[in-house]
Amino acid sequence: MGETKNAELTLVIVKPDGLKKSLTGNIITRLAETKLVIVGSKMVRVSRDLAVEHYKHLQGKPFFEDLIKYIMGEYHTKRVMALVYGGADAIQKVRDICGSTNPEEAQPVSIRGAYGRITTKGVFENVIHASANAEDAEREIKLWFGPDELIDPIYPMVEVEETIRRKKWK
Ligand code: DAT
Ligand code: MG
């Protein structure tokens, strides 16, 4: 990717409603139209800290608490699939296929238009997250993924030595 013009990374999250509705395959197929490359992917159980950090720009909005519960999976299933896509103009290409934030305003053929809904409580269940711009993308990717989890991490890295407790197979 280093040689590609406008090479960018963007974060995609298949939200808990997407997983509950078995839409992962459909969503990845739709995103393949972009010809972008998947450079990272994993299943995540979203902690409250991660949810609040991810959506910190919306703190104070009336829908904030429901949004946090939604991304943590309290309304569907406690897992999301996080992916990083890379390639030329990755951010805009993915956003175009996702469609507008409000699933009722999104183009019917977009992912959010096809699969999203607004609950009677007013929660936008819009199935997918995609970074909105380069600044958000970098912040979000660094929040969700470490350098070792990406095939081609384009951000500067440092090597550190640390003692950590981690699980290993018995
Ligand atoms: P996007 O996800 O399109 O980048 P955003 O960053 O402004 O949009 O908001 C993040 C999420 O918050 C969005 O996917 C759904 C929810 N949200 C935004 N505006 C909302 C509203 N007016 N009512 C309910 N949920 C909303
Ligand atoms: Mg956003």
Side-chain angles (χ1 to χ4, degrees), residues 15 17 63 65-71 75-76 101-104 116-126:
K15 295 179 177 180
D17 50 330
F63 56 84
E65 188 52 35
D66 276 329
L67 177 63
I68 296 304
K69 284 192 188 150
Y70 163 47
I71 198 71
Y75 302 131
H76 302 92
T101 305
N102 180 334
E104 283 183 4
R117 67 165 194 151
I118 304 180
T119 67
T120 48
K121 222 179 157 193
V123 179
F124 287 10
E125 291 184 0
N126 57 10

mmCIF file with all atom_site columns, all heavy atoms in Angstrom, residues 15 17 63 65-71 75-76 101-104 116-126:
data_model
loop_
_atom_site.group_PDB
_atom_site.id
_atom_site.type_symbol
_atom_site.label_atom_id
_atom_site.label_alt_id
_atom_site.label_comp_id
_atom_site.label_asym_id
_atom_site.label_entity_id
_atom_site.label_seq_id
_atom_site.pdbx_PDB_ins_code
_atom_site.Cartn_x
_atom_site.Cartn_y
_atom_site.Cartn_z
_atom_site.occupancy
_atom_site.B_iso_or_equiv
_atom_site.pdbx_formal_charge
_atom_site.auth_seq_id
_atom_site.auth_comp_id
_atom_site.auth_asym_id
_atom_site.auth_atom_id
_atom_site.pdbx_PDB_model_num
ATOM 1   N N   . LYS A 1 15  ? -21.635 -3.589 13.735 1.00 0.00 ? 15  LYS A N   1
ATOM 2   C CA  . LYS A 1 15  ? -22.204 -3.349 15.062 1.00 0.00 ? 15  LYS A CA  1
ATOM 3   C C   . LYS A 1 15  ? -23.029 -4.559 15.527 1.00 0.00 ? 15  LYS A C   1
ATOM 4   O O   . LYS A 1 15  ? -23.341 -5.445 14.725 1.00 0.00 ? 15  LYS A O   1
ATOM 5   C CB  . LYS A 1 15  ? -23.045 -2.067 15.015 1.00 0.00 ? 15  LYS A CB  1
ATOM 6   C CG  . LYS A 1 15  ? -22.211 -0.808 14.730 1.00 0.00 ? 15  LYS A CG  1
ATOM 7   C CD  . LYS A 1 15  ? -23.084 0.441  14.676 1.00 0.00 ? 15  LYS A CD  1
ATOM 8   C CE  . LYS A 1 15  ? -22.261 1.702  14.459 1.00 0.00 ? 15  LYS A CE  1
ATOM 9   N NZ  . LYS A 1 15  ? -23.114 2.920  14.395 1.00 0.00 ? 15  LYS A NZ  1
ATOM 10  N N   . ASP A 1 17  ? -26.106 -5.207 16.064 1.00 0.00 ? 17  ASP A N   1
ATOM 11  C CA  . ASP A 1 17  ? -27.317 -5.562 15.285 1.00 0.00 ? 17  ASP A CA  1
ATOM 12  C C   . ASP A 1 17  ? -26.918 -6.274 14.000 1.00 0.00 ? 17  ASP A C   1
ATOM 13  O O   . ASP A 1 17  ? -27.592 -7.209 13.558 1.00 0.00 ? 17  ASP A O   1
ATOM 14  C CB  . ASP A 1 17  ? -28.202 -4.342 14.997 1.00 0.00 ? 17  ASP A CB  1
ATOM 15  C CG  . ASP A 1 17  ? -27.451 -3.149 14.410 1.00 0.00 ? 17  ASP A CG  1
ATOM 16  O OD1 . ASP A 1 17  ? -26.247 -2.986 14.713 1.00 0.00 ? 17  ASP A OD1 1
ATOM 17  O OD2 . ASP A 1 17  ? -28.061 -2.378 13.652 1.00 0.00 ? 17  ASP A OD2 1
ATOM 18  N N   . PHE A 1 63  ? -28.959 11.135 23.108 1.00 0.00 ? 63  PHE A N   1
ATOM 19  C CA  . PHE A 1 63  ? -28.965 9.709  22.748 1.00 0.00 ? 63  PHE A CA  1
ATOM 20  C C   . PHE A 1 63  ? -27.684 8.992  23.171 1.00 0.00 ? 63  PHE A C   1
ATOM 21  O O   . PHE A 1 63  ? -27.503 7.806  22.895 1.00 0.00 ? 63  PHE A O   1
ATOM 22  C CB  . PHE A 1 63  ? -29.178 9.537  21.230 1.00 0.00 ? 63  PHE A CB  1
ATOM 23  C CG  . PHE A 1 63  ? -28.177 10.270 20.375 1.00 0.00 ? 63  PHE A CG  1
ATOM 24  C CD1 . PHE A 1 63  ? -26.934 9.716  20.078 1.00 0.00 ? 63  PHE A CD1 1
ATOM 25  C CD2 . PHE A 1 63  ? -28.477 11.533 19.864 1.00 0.00 ? 63  PHE A CD2 1
ATOM 26  C CE1 . PHE A 1 63  ? -26.006 10.379 19.303 1.00 0.00 ? 63  PHE A CE1 1
ATOM 27  C CE2 . PHE A 1 63  ? -27.546 12.222 19.075 1.00 0.00 ? 63  PHE A CE2 1
ATOM 28  C CZ  . PHE A 1 63  ? -26.313 11.640 18.802 1.00 0.00 ? 63  PHE A CZ  1
ATOM 29  N N   . GLU A 1 65  ? -26.265 7.773  26.010 1.00 0.00 ? 65  GLU A N   1
ATOM 30  C CA  . GLU A 1 65  ? -26.298 6.568  26.855 1.00 0.00 ? 65  GLU A CA  1
ATOM 31  C C   . GLU A 1 65  ? -26.828 5.361  26.065 1.00 0.00 ? 65  GLU A C   1
ATOM 32  O O   . GLU A 1 65  ? -26.284 4.256  26.170 1.00 0.00 ? 65  GLU A O   1
ATOM 33  C CB  . GLU A 1 65  ? -27.145 6.837  28.104 1.00 0.00 ? 65  GLU A CB  1
ATOM 34  C CG  . GLU A 1 65  ? -27.103 5.738  29.156 1.00 0.00 ? 65  GLU A CG  1
ATOM 35  C CD  . GLU A 1 65  ? -25.695 5.314  29.597 1.00 0.00 ? 65  GLU A CD  1
ATOM 36  O OE1 . GLU A 1 65  ? -24.799 6.169  29.660 1.00 0.00 ? 65  GLU A OE1 1
ATOM 37  O OE2 . GLU A 1 65  ? -25.497 4.105  29.857 1.00 0.00 ? 65  GLU A OE2 1
ATOM 38  N N   . ASP A 1 66  ? -27.863 5.574  25.264 1.00 0.00 ? 66  ASP A N   1
ATOM 39  C CA  . ASP A 1 66  ? -28.396 4.479  24.439 1.00 0.00 ? 66  ASP A CA  1
ATOM 40  C C   . ASP A 1 66  ? -27.383 4.033  23.390 1.00 0.00 ? 66  ASP A C   1
ATOM 41  O O   . ASP A 1 66  ? -27.284 2.846  23.077 1.00 0.00 ? 66  ASP A O   1
ATOM 42  C CB  . ASP A 1 66  ? -29.681 4.922  23.725 1.00 0.00 ? 66  ASP A CB  1
ATOM 43  C CG  . ASP A 1 66  ? -30.898 4.767  24.623 1.00 0.00 ? 66  ASP A CG  1
ATOM 44  O OD1 . ASP A 1 66  ? -30.890 3.852  25.475 1.00 0.00 ? 66  ASP A OD1 1
ATOM 45  O OD2 . ASP A 1 66  ? -31.835 5.564  24.473 1.00 0.00 ? 66  ASP A OD2 1
ATOM 46  N N   . LEU A 1 67  ? -26.642 4.996  22.857 1.00 0.00 ? 67  LEU A N   1
ATOM 47  C CA  . LEU A 1 67  ? -25.617 4.684  21.860 1.00 0.00 ? 67  LEU A CA  1
ATOM 48  C C   . LEU A 1 67  ? -24.529 3.791  22.465 1.00 0.00 ? 67  LEU A C   1
ATOM 49  O O   . LEU A 1 67  ? -24.083 2.812  21.850 1.00 0.00 ? 67  LEU A O   1
ATOM 50  C CB  . LEU A 1 67  ? -25.013 6.002  21.345 1.00 0.00 ? 67  LEU A CB  1
ATOM 51  C CG  . LEU A 1 67  ? -23.877 5.933  20.343 1.00 0.00 ? 67  LEU A CG  1
ATOM 52  C CD1 . LEU A 1 67  ? -24.339 5.271  19.050 1.00 0.00 ? 67  LEU A CD1 1
ATOM 53  C CD2 . LEU A 1 67  ? -23.337 7.346  20.048 1.00 0.00 ? 67  LEU A CD2 1
ATOM 54  N N   . ILE A 1 68  ? -24.137 4.116  23.702 1.00 0.00 ? 68  ILE A N   1
ATOM 55  C CA  . ILE A 1 68  ? -23.125 3.319  24.404 1.00 0.00 ? 68  ILE A CA  1
ATOM 56  C C   . ILE A 1 68  ? -23.639 1.901  24.655 1.00 0.00 ? 68  ILE A C   1
ATOM 57  O O   . ILE A 1 68  ? -22.951 0.907  24.397 1.00 0.00 ? 68  ILE A O   1
ATOM 58  C CB  . ILE A 1 68  ? -22.717 4.014  25.738 1.00 0.00 ? 68  ILE A CB  1
ATOM 59  C CG1 . ILE A 1 68  ? -22.049 5.367  25.458 1.00 0.00 ? 68  ILE A CG1 1
ATOM 60  C CG2 . ILE A 1 68  ? -21.819 3.117  26.582 1.00 0.00 ? 68  ILE A CG2 1
ATOM 61  C CD1 . ILE A 1 68  ? -20.847 5.324  24.538 1.00 0.00 ? 68  ILE A CD1 1
ATOM 62  N N   . LYS A 1 69  ? -24.891 1.807  25.121 1.00 0.00 ? 69  LYS A N   1
ATOM 63  C CA  . LYS A 1 69  ? -25.488 0.485  25.365 1.00 0.00 ? 69  LYS A CA  1
ATOM 64  C C   . LYS A 1 69  ? -25.585 -0.307 24.070 1.00 0.00 ? 69  LYS A C   1
ATOM 65  O O   . LYS A 1 69  ? -25.341 -1.513 24.040 1.00 0.00 ? 69  LYS A O   1
ATOM 66  C CB  . LYS A 1 69  ? -26.885 0.636  25.974 1.00 0.00 ? 69  LYS A CB  1
ATOM 67  C CG  . LYS A 1 69  ? -26.871 1.001  27.430 1.00 0.00 ? 69  LYS A CG  1
ATOM 68  C CD  . LYS A 1 69  ? -28.279 0.843  28.004 1.00 0.00 ? 69  LYS A CD  1
ATOM 69  C CE  . LYS A 1 69  ? -28.359 1.377  29.414 1.00 0.00 ? 69  LYS A CE  1
ATOM 70  N NZ  . LYS A 1 69  ? -29.699 1.884  29.735 1.00 0.00 ? 69  LYS A NZ  1
ATOM 71  N N   . TYR A 1 70  ? -25.959 0.365  23.008 1.00 0.00 ? 70  TYR A N   1
ATOM 72  C CA  . TYR A 1 70  ? -26.107 -0.285 21.694 1.00 0.00 ? 70  TYR A CA  1
ATOM 73  C C   . TYR A 1 70  ? -24.771 -0.854 21.208 1.00 0.00 ? 70  TYR A C   1
ATOM 74  O O   . TYR A 1 70  ? -24.683 -2.039 20.867 1.00 0.00 ? 70  TYR A O   1
ATOM 75  C CB  . TYR A 1 70  ? -26.686 0.752  20.721 1.00 0.00 ? 70  TYR A CB  1
ATOM 76  C CG  . TYR A 1 70  ? -26.558 0.441  19.251 1.00 0.00 ? 70  TYR A CG  1
ATOM 77  C CD1 . TYR A 1 70  ? -26.885 -0.812 18.728 1.00 0.00 ? 70  TYR A CD1 1
ATOM 78  C CD2 . TYR A 1 70  ? -26.141 1.436  18.361 1.00 0.00 ? 70  TYR A CD2 1
ATOM 79  C CE1 . TYR A 1 70  ? -26.778 -1.063 17.362 1.00 0.00 ? 70  TYR A CE1 1
ATOM 80  C CE2 . TYR A 1 70  ? -26.045 1.192  17.000 1.00 0.00 ? 70  TYR A CE2 1
ATOM 81  C CZ  . TYR A 1 70  ? -26.352 -0.056 16.510 1.00 0.00 ? 70  TYR A CZ  1
ATOM 82  O OH  . TYR A 1 70  ? -26.240 -0.299 15.167 1.00 0.00 ? 70  TYR A OH  1
ATOM 83  N N   . ILE A 1 71  ? -23.708 -0.043 21.260 1.00 0.00 ? 71  ILE A N   1
ATOM 84  C CA  . ILE A 1 71  ? -22.423 -0.531 20.727 1.00 0.00 ? 71  ILE A CA  1
ATOM 85  C C   . ILE A 1 71  ? -21.820 -1.595 21.653 1.00 0.00 ? 71  ILE A C   1
ATOM 86  O O   . ILE A 1 71  ? -21.081 -2.469 21.207 1.00 0.00 ? 71  ILE A O   1
ATOM 87  C CB  . ILE A 1 71  ? -21.436 0.637  20.446 1.00 0.00 ? 71  ILE A CB  1
ATOM 88  C CG1 . ILE A 1 71  ? -20.313 0.200  19.495 1.00 0.00 ? 71  ILE A CG1 1
ATOM 89  C CG2 . ILE A 1 71  ? -20.848 1.218  21.716 1.00 0.00 ? 71  ILE A CG2 1
ATOM 90  C CD1 . ILE A 1 71  ? -20.730 -0.035 18.079 1.00 0.00 ? 71  ILE A CD1 1
ATOM 91  N N   . TYR A 1 75  ? -28.469 -4.432 23.486 1.00 0.00 ? 75  TYR A N   1
ATOM 92  C CA  . TYR A 1 75  ? -29.757 -4.630 22.809 1.00 0.00 ? 75  TYR A CA  1
ATOM 93  C C   . TYR A 1 75  ? -29.743 -5.829 21.851 1.00 0.00 ? 75  TYR A C   1
ATOM 94  O O   . TYR A 1 75  ? -30.776 -6.214 21.341 1.00 0.00 ? 75  TYR A O   1
ATOM 95  C CB  . TYR A 1 75  ? -30.155 -3.375 22.033 1.00 0.00 ? 75  TYR A CB  1
ATOM 96  C CG  . TYR A 1 75  ? -30.266 -2.133 22.900 1.00 0.00 ? 75  TYR A CG  1
ATOM 97  C CD1 . TYR A 1 75  ? -29.641 -0.944 22.537 1.00 0.00 ? 75  TYR A CD1 1
ATOM 98  C CD2 . TYR A 1 75  ? -30.995 -2.158 24.094 1.00 0.00 ? 75  TYR A CD2 1
ATOM 99  C CE1 . TYR A 1 75  ? -29.737 0.190  23.329 1.00 0.00 ? 75  TYR A CE1 1
ATOM 100 C CE2 . TYR A 1 75  ? -31.103 -1.025 24.893 1.00 0.00 ? 75  TYR A CE2 1
ATOM 101 C CZ  . TYR A 1 75  ? -30.463 0.143  24.501 1.00 0.00 ? 75  TYR A CZ  1
ATOM 102 O OH  . TYR A 1 75  ? -30.548 1.267  25.294 1.00 0.00 ? 75  TYR A OH  1
ATOM 103 N N   . HIS A 1 76  ? -28.564 -6.376 21.573 1.00 0.00 ? 76  HIS A N   1
ATOM 104 C CA  . HIS A 1 76  ? -28.500 -7.450 20.565 1.00 0.00 ? 76  HIS A CA  1
ATOM 105 C C   . HIS A 1 76  ? -27.643 -8.609 21.025 1.00 0.00 ? 76  HIS A C   1
ATOM 106 O O   . HIS A 1 76  ? -28.143 -9.626 21.467 1.00 0.00 ? 76  HIS A O   1
ATOM 107 C CB  . HIS A 1 76  ? -27.991 -6.897 19.226 1.00 0.00 ? 76  HIS A CB  1
ATOM 108 C CG  . HIS A 1 76  ? -28.837 -5.784 18.688 1.00 0.00 ? 76  HIS A CG  1
ATOM 109 N ND1 . HIS A 1 76  ? -28.567 -4.464 18.956 1.00 0.00 ? 76  HIS A ND1 1
ATOM 110 C CD2 . HIS A 1 76  ? -29.949 -5.807 17.923 1.00 0.00 ? 76  HIS A CD2 1
ATOM 111 C CE1 . HIS A 1 76  ? -29.500 -3.708 18.386 1.00 0.00 ? 76  HIS A CE1 1
ATOM 112 N NE2 . HIS A 1 76  ? -30.344 -4.488 17.756 1.00 0.00 ? 76  HIS A NE2 1
ATOM 113 N N   . THR A 1 101 ? -25.797 8.566  8.173  1.00 0.00 ? 101 THR A N   1
ATOM 114 C CA  . THR A 1 101 ? -25.887 8.174  9.582  1.00 0.00 ? 101 THR A CA  1
ATOM 115 C C   . THR A 1 101 ? -27.305 7.722  9.951  1.00 0.00 ? 101 THR A C   1
ATOM 116 O O   . THR A 1 101 ? -27.492 6.687  10.588 1.00 0.00 ? 101 THR A O   1
ATOM 117 C CB  . THR A 1 101 ? -25.499 9.389  10.460 1.00 0.00 ? 101 THR A CB  1
ATOM 118 O OG1 . THR A 1 101 ? -24.196 9.838  10.055 1.00 0.00 ? 101 THR A OG1 1
ATOM 119 C CG2 . THR A 1 101 ? -25.498 9.037  11.923 1.00 0.00 ? 101 THR A CG2 1
ATOM 120 N N   . ASN A 1 102 ? -28.288 8.518  9.535  1.00 0.00 ? 102 ASN A N   1
ATOM 121 C CA  . ASN A 1 102 ? -29.692 8.179  9.804  1.00 0.00 ? 102 ASN A CA  1
ATOM 122 C C   . ASN A 1 102 ? -30.153 7.140  8.777  1.00 0.00 ? 102 ASN A C   1
ATOM 123 O O   . ASN A 1 102 ? -30.250 7.439  7.595  1.00 0.00 ? 102 ASN A O   1
ATOM 124 C CB  . ASN A 1 102 ? -30.534 9.455  9.695  1.00 0.00 ? 102 ASN A CB  1
ATOM 125 C CG  . ASN A 1 102 ? -32.006 9.197  9.953  1.00 0.00 ? 102 ASN A CG  1
ATOM 126 O OD1 . ASN A 1 102 ? -32.497 8.079  9.757  1.00 0.00 ? 102 ASN A OD1 1
ATOM 127 N ND2 . ASN A 1 102 ? -32.713 10.218 10.392 1.00 0.00 ? 102 ASN A ND2 1
ATOM 128 N N   . PRO A 1 103 ? -30.436 5.921  9.235  1.00 0.00 ? 103 PRO A N   1
ATOM 129 C CA  . PRO A 1 103 ? -30.742 4.856  8.265  1.00 0.00 ? 103 PRO A CA  1
ATOM 130 C C   . PRO A 1 103 ? -31.983 5.130  7.424  1.00 0.00 ? 103 PRO A C   1
ATOM 131 O O   . PRO A 1 103 ? -32.117 4.602  6.322  1.00 0.00 ? 103 PRO A O   1
ATOM 132 C CB  . PRO A 1 103 ? -30.931 3.612  9.146  1.00 0.00 ? 103 PRO A CB  1
ATOM 133 C CG  . PRO A 1 103 ? -31.136 4.116  10.524 1.00 0.00 ? 103 PRO A CG  1
ATOM 134 C CD  . PRO A 1 103 ? -30.472 5.449  10.619 1.00 0.00 ? 103 PRO A CD  1
ATOM 135 N N   . GLU A 1 104 ? -32.864 6.003  7.940  1.00 0.00 ? 104 GLU A N   1
ATOM 136 C CA  . GLU A 1 104 ? -34.066 6.325  7.148  1.00 0.00 ? 104 GLU A CA  1
ATOM 137 C C   . GLU A 1 104 ? -33.762 7.340  6.053  1.00 0.00 ? 104 GLU A C   1
ATOM 138 O O   . GLU A 1 104 ? -34.528 7.476  5.103  1.00 0.00 ? 104 GLU A O   1
ATOM 139 C CB  . GLU A 1 104 ? -35.190 6.821  8.053  1.00 0.00 ? 104 GLU A CB  1
ATOM 140 C CG  . GLU A 1 104 ? -35.831 5.654  8.771  1.00 0.00 ? 104 GLU A CG  1
ATOM 141 C CD  . GLU A 1 104 ? -37.006 6.022  9.653  1.00 0.00 ? 104 GLU A CD  1
ATOM 142 O OE1 . GLU A 1 104 ? -37.407 7.208  9.679  1.00 0.00 ? 104 GLU A OE1 1
ATOM 143 O OE2 . GLU A 1 104 ? -37.503 5.105  10.315 1.00 0.00 ? 104 GLU A OE2 1
ATOM 144 N N   . GLY A 1 116 ? -30.480 -0.918 8.081  1.00 0.00 ? 116 GLY A N   1
ATOM 145 C CA  . GLY A 1 116 ? -30.621 -0.166 9.329  1.00 0.00 ? 116 GLY A CA  1
ATOM 146 C C   . GLY A 1 116 ? -32.072 0.121  9.674  1.00 0.00 ? 116 GLY A C   1
ATOM 147 O O   . GLY A 1 116 ? -32.979 -0.051 8.854  1.00 0.00 ? 116 GLY A O   1
ATOM 148 N N   . ARG A 1 117 ? -32.290 0.537  10.912 1.00 0.00 ? 117 ARG A N   1
ATOM 149 C CA  . ARG A 1 117 ? -33.624 0.970  11.324 1.00 0.00 ? 117 ARG A CA  1
ATOM 150 C C   . ARG A 1 117 ? -33.475 1.921  12.508 1.00 0.00 ? 117 ARG A C   1
ATOM 151 O O   . ARG A 1 117 ? -32.432 1.981  13.155 1.00 0.00 ? 117 ARG A O   1
ATOM 152 C CB  . ARG A 1 117 ? -34.490 -0.222 11.716 1.00 0.00 ? 117 ARG A CB  1
ATOM 153 C CG  . ARG A 1 117 ? -34.011 -0.942 12.971 1.00 0.00 ? 117 ARG A CG  1
ATOM 154 C CD  . ARG A 1 117 ? -35.077 -1.862 13.537 1.00 0.00 ? 117 ARG A CD  1
ATOM 155 N NE  . ARG A 1 117 ? -34.697 -2.258 14.906 1.00 0.00 ? 117 ARG A NE  1
ATOM 156 C CZ  . ARG A 1 117 ? -35.564 -2.565 15.855 1.00 0.00 ? 117 ARG A CZ  1
ATOM 157 N NH1 . ARG A 1 117 ? -36.849 -2.541 15.618 1.00 0.00 ? 117 ARG A NH1 1
ATOM 158 N NH2 . ARG A 1 117 ? -35.149 -2.904 17.062 1.00 0.00 ? 117 ARG A NH2 1
ATOM 159 N N   . ILE A 1 118 ? -34.533 2.669  12.781 1.00 0.00 ? 118 ILE A N   1
ATOM 160 C CA  . ILE A 1 118 ? -34.559 3.493  13.990 1.00 0.00 ? 118 ILE A CA  1
ATOM 161 C C   . ILE A 1 118 ? -35.570 2.843  14.923 1.00 0.00 ? 118 ILE A C   1
ATOM 162 O O   . ILE A 1 118 ? -36.699 2.555  14.518 1.00 0.00 ? 118 ILE A O   1
ATOM 163 C CB  . ILE A 1 118 ? -34.982 4.941  13.680 1.00 0.00 ? 118 ILE A CB  1
ATOM 164 C CG1 . ILE A 1 118 ? -34.056 5.555  12.627 1.00 0.00 ? 118 ILE A CG1 1
ATOM 165 C CG2 . ILE A 1 118 ? -34.978 5.781  14.953 1.00 0.00 ? 118 ILE A CG2 1
ATOM 166 C CD1 . ILE A 1 118 ? -34.407 6.986  12.252 1.00 0.00 ? 118 ILE A CD1 1
ATOM 167 N N   . THR A 1 119 ? -35.153 2.596  16.156 1.00 0.00 ? 119 THR A N   1
ATOM 168 C CA  . THR A 1 119 ? -36.076 1.933  17.083 1.00 0.00 ? 119 THR A CA  1
ATOM 169 C C   . THR A 1 119 ? -37.115 2.945  17.572 1.00 0.00 ? 119 THR A C   1
ATOM 170 O O   . THR A 1 119 ? -36.934 4.158  17.427 1.00 0.00 ? 119 THR A O   1
ATOM 171 C CB  . THR A 1 119 ? -35.339 1.352  18.304 1.00 0.00 ? 119 THR A CB  1
ATOM 172 O OG1 . THR A 1 119 ? -34.825 2.442  19.080 1.00 0.00 ? 119 THR A OG1 1
ATOM 173 C CG2 . THR A 1 119 ? -34.204 0.441  17.886 1.00 0.00 ? 119 THR A CG2 1
ATOM 174 N N   . THR A 1 120 ? -38.182 2.447  18.176 1.00 0.00 ? 120 THR A N   1
ATOM 175 C CA  . THR A 1 120 ? -39.218 3.350  18.705 1.00 0.00 ? 120 THR A CA  1
ATOM 176 C C   . THR A 1 120 ? -38.632 4.257  19.783 1.00 0.00 ? 120 THR A C   1
ATOM 177 O O   . THR A 1 120 ? -39.110 5.354  20.020 1.00 0.00 ? 120 THR A O   1
ATOM 178 C CB  . THR A 1 120 ? -40.399 2.548  19.294 1.00 0.00 ? 120 THR A CB  1
ATOM 179 O OG1 . THR A 1 120 ? -39.858 1.534  20.141 1.00 0.00 ? 120 THR A OG1 1
ATOM 180 C CG2 . THR A 1 120 ? -41.233 1.892  18.207 1.00 0.00 ? 120 THR A CG2 1
ATOM 181 N N   . LYS A 1 121 ? -37.537 3.806  20.408 1.00 0.00 ? 121 LYS A N   1
ATOM 182 C CA  . LYS A 1 121 ? -36.848 4.610  21.418 1.00 0.00 ? 121 LYS A CA  1
ATOM 183 C C   . LYS A 1 121 ? -35.945 5.675  20.785 1.00 0.00 ? 121 LYS A C   1
ATOM 184 O O   . LYS A 1 121 ? -35.368 6.506  21.470 1.00 0.00 ? 121 LYS A O   1
ATOM 185 C CB  . LYS A 1 121 ? -35.976 3.651  22.250 1.00 0.00 ? 121 LYS A CB  1
ATOM 186 C CG  . LYS A 1 121 ? -35.991 3.914  23.731 1.00 0.00 ? 121 LYS A CG  1
ATOM 187 C CD  . LYS A 1 121 ? -35.109 2.882  24.440 1.00 0.00 ? 121 LYS A CD  1
ATOM 188 C CE  . LYS A 1 121 ? -34.653 3.413  25.775 1.00 0.00 ? 121 LYS A CE  1
ATOM 189 N NZ  . LYS A 1 121 ? -33.581 2.614  26.356 1.00 0.00 ? 121 LYS A NZ  1
ATOM 190 N N   . GLY A 1 122 ? -35.762 5.596  19.470 1.00 0.00 ? 122 GLY A N   1
ATOM 191 C CA  . GLY A 1 122 ? -34.959 6.609  18.784 1.00 0.00 ? 122 GLY A CA  1
ATOM 192 C C   . GLY A 1 122 ? -33.504 6.232  18.563 1.00 0.00 ? 122 GLY A C   1
ATOM 193 O O   . GLY A 1 122 ? -32.705 7.059  18.150 1.00 0.00 ? 122 GLY A O   1
ATOM 194 N N   . VAL A 1 123 ? -33.148 4.960  18.853 1.00 0.00 ? 123 VAL A N   1
ATOM 195 C CA  . VAL A 1 123 ? -31.767 4.531  18.624 1.00 0.00 ? 123 VAL A CA  1
ATOM 196 C C   . VAL A 1 123 ? -31.570 4.262  17.129 1.00 0.00 ? 123 VAL A C   1
ATOM 197 O O   . VAL A 1 123 ? -32.372 3.566  16.511 1.00 0.00 ? 123 VAL A O   1
ATOM 198 C CB  . VAL A 1 123 ? -31.428 3.252  19.435 1.00 0.00 ? 123 VAL A CB  1
ATOM 199 C CG1 . VAL A 1 123 ? -29.984 2.797  19.182 1.00 0.00 ? 123 VAL A CG1 1
ATOM 200 C CG2 . VAL A 1 123 ? -31.651 3.486  20.927 1.00 0.00 ? 123 VAL A CG2 1
ATOM 201 N N   . PHE A 1 124 ? -30.511 4.865  16.567 1.00 0.00 ? 124 PHE A N   1
ATOM 202 C CA  . PHE A 1 124 ? -30.167 4.583  15.169 1.00 0.00 ? 124 PHE A CA  1
ATOM 203 C C   . PHE A 1 124 ? -29.440 3.237  15.128 1.00 0.00 ? 124 PHE A C   1
ATOM 204 O O   . PHE A 1 124 ? -28.254 3.166  15.427 1.00 0.00 ? 124 PHE A O   1
ATOM 205 C CB  . PHE A 1 124 ? -29.222 5.647  14.602 1.00 0.00 ? 124 PHE A CB  1
ATOM 206 C CG  . PHE A 1 124 ? -29.828 6.989  14.304 1.00 0.00 ? 124 PHE A CG  1
ATOM 207 C CD1 . PHE A 1 124 ? -31.108 7.320  14.719 1.00 0.00 ? 124 PHE A CD1 1
ATOM 208 C CD2 . PHE A 1 124 ? -29.105 7.937  13.577 1.00 0.00 ? 124 PHE A CD2 1
ATOM 209 C CE1 . PHE A 1 124 ? -31.645 8.577  14.452 1.00 0.00 ? 124 PHE A CE1 1
ATOM 210 C CE2 . PHE A 1 124 ? -29.633 9.194  13.302 1.00 0.00 ? 124 PHE A CE2 1
ATOM 211 C CZ  . PHE A 1 124 ? -30.905 9.513  13.737 1.00 0.00 ? 124 PHE A CZ  1
ATOM 212 N N   . GLU A 1 125 ? -30.129 2.177  14.778 1.00 0.00 ? 125 GLU A N   1
ATOM 213 C CA  . GLU A 1 125 ? -29.453 0.883  14.606 1.00 0.00 ? 125 GLU A CA  1
ATOM 214 C C   . GLU A 1 125 ? -28.991 0.828  13.155 1.00 0.00 ? 125 GLU A C   1
ATOM 215 O O   . GLU A 1 125 ? -29.697 0.321  12.285 1.00 0.00 ? 125 GLU A O   1
ATOM 216 C CB  . GLU A 1 125 ? -30.416 -0.266 14.947 1.00 0.00 ? 125 GLU A CB  1
ATOM 217 C CG  . GLU A 1 125 ? -30.740 -0.331 16.439 1.00 0.00 ? 125 GLU A CG  1
ATOM 218 C CD  . GLU A 1 125 ? -31.600 -1.510 16.842 1.00 0.00 ? 125 GLU A CD  1
ATOM 219 O OE1 . GLU A 1 125 ? -31.969 -2.315 15.941 1.00 0.00 ? 125 GLU A OE1 1
ATOM 220 O OE2 . GLU A 1 125 ? -31.923 -1.637 18.023 1.00 0.00 ? 125 GLU A OE2 1
ATOM 221 N N   . ASN A 1 126 ? -27.797 1.378  12.930 1.00 0.00 ? 126 ASN A N   1
ATOM 222 C CA  . ASN A 1 126 ? -27.374 1.547  11.529 1.00 0.00 ? 126 ASN A CA  1
ATOM 223 C C   . ASN A 1 126 ? -26.268 0.571  11.116 1.00 0.00 ? 126 ASN A C   1
ATOM 224 O O   . ASN A 1 126 ? -25.559 0.789  10.149 1.00 0.00 ? 126 ASN A O   1
ATOM 225 C CB  . ASN A 1 126 ? -27.008 3.008  11.243 1.00 0.00 ? 126 ASN A CB  1
ATOM 226 C CG  . ASN A 1 126 ? -25.920 3.543  12.162 1.00 0.00 ? 126 ASN A CG  1
ATOM 227 O OD1 . ASN A 1 126 ? -25.305 2.777  12.909 1.00 0.00 ? 126 ASN A OD1 1
ATOM 228 N ND2 . ASN A 1 126 ? -25.674 4.829  12.098 1.00 0.00 ? 126 ASN A ND2 1
#
